[in-house]
Amino acid sequence: MPVKRTPPETAQSLARPAWLRAGTTIGFSVFSIVWHGNAWFADLWDGNDLMVARIAVAAFFVLTASMVWEYVKQEGVPEVLRGSLALGAAAWLLTGVLVIFMTTTTGVALAAGAGFLILGLAELFGGLRTRNEFVPSRDHALLGAIGALTGLLMIAWWGLDIHGVIGIAGMGMILSSVLLAIGAAGLTHDAKRAAA
């Protein structure tokens, strides 16, 4: 069975937004690991963990929404996947703005959980619908499943403290960052065929 590849022109246009999304997700993953329990970091924000978490989650959602939007604008992305990812990106942008105004840990957990769930389901739906015609759709289906599960866990365990909320989000994004980096590397590899 021959290996399916993304056409070089499509891979070339998708590689940059894929790497940007991977980098943003890796950055949030690292933040979720090192942000609490470190006295030096805690002194920077006078122990106001909720404020720092709100800013970090909001920035992550808004930046990632813009990376997803940049991805769907590229030629070669199937319409079904484009529509689903655009819906998810819009939800993440709104979630990022909403999280800034949340004043409780429960509010942050529920808003972020809803955002993860919406983009996750949108990405899962689009990925499954287009997996036979667009090779990166398989990655989107996996990312969607991880995102939806992350959202469900955040909503189900809304009573956790802010460290638990960021821990759940971070766990899901660590898994996603690995998949995103592998997918971006695959697109870069396929894009190099165009230069050859």
Side-chain angles (χ1 to χ4, degrees):
M1 180 175 182
V3 176
K4 289 187 177 181
R5 295 180 186 254
T6 306
E9 301 77 25
T10 302
Q12 194 169 15
S13 67
L14 295 177
R16 181 178 178 275
W19 276 116
L20 289 172
R21 184 178 178 192
T24 305
T25 306
I26 289 168
F28 182 77
S29 299
V30 169
F31 168 79
S32 74
I33 293 169
V34 301
W35 85 290
H36 63 85
N38 187 320
W40 183 79
F41 281 139
D43 289 343
L44 288 176
W45 54 74
D46 291 330
N48 193 348
D49 291 346
L50 180 60
M51 178 196 67
V52 172
R54 286 180 11 220
I55 292 169
V57 170
F60 172 67
F61 272 72
V62 170
L63 287 172
T64 304
S66 68
M67 303 309 158
V68 171
W69 181 252
E70 186 66 30
Y71 184 92
V72 301
K73 289 189 325 184
Q74 304 303 318
E75 291 294 322
V77 177
E79 288 299 320
V80 172
L81 182 61
R82 181 174 298 185
S84 339
L85 289 177
L87 171 71
W92 268 39
L93 183 62
L94 292 173
T95 299
V97 172
L98 182 64
V99 164
I100 286 292
F101 296 106
M102 293 293 138
T103 58
T104 65
T105 302
T106 301
V108 172
L110 293 175
F116 278 119
L117 184 61
I118 292 168
L119 179 60
L121 290 175
E123 199 159 23
L124 178 62
F125 171 78
L128 289 175
R129 292 282 310 269
T130 59
R131 71 184 179 277
N132 292 329
E133 63 184 275
F134 188 61
V135 176
S137 289
R138 298 169 188 159
D139 295 340
H140 290 293
L142 288 172
L143 288 167
I146 292 169
L149 182 59
T150 301
L152 285 174
L153 290 174
M154 289 181 76
I155 292 168
W157 292 336
W158 57 269
L160 293 175
D161 67 347
I162 195 62
H163 301 104
V165 170
I166 297 298
I168 291 172
M171 175 232 11
M173 293 307 97
I174 289 169
L175 295 172
S176 293
S177 65
V178 171
L179 285 172
L180 286 164
I182 291 170
L187 287 170
T188 302
H189 177 72
D190 288 344
K192 287 184 179 180
R193 289 186 307 143

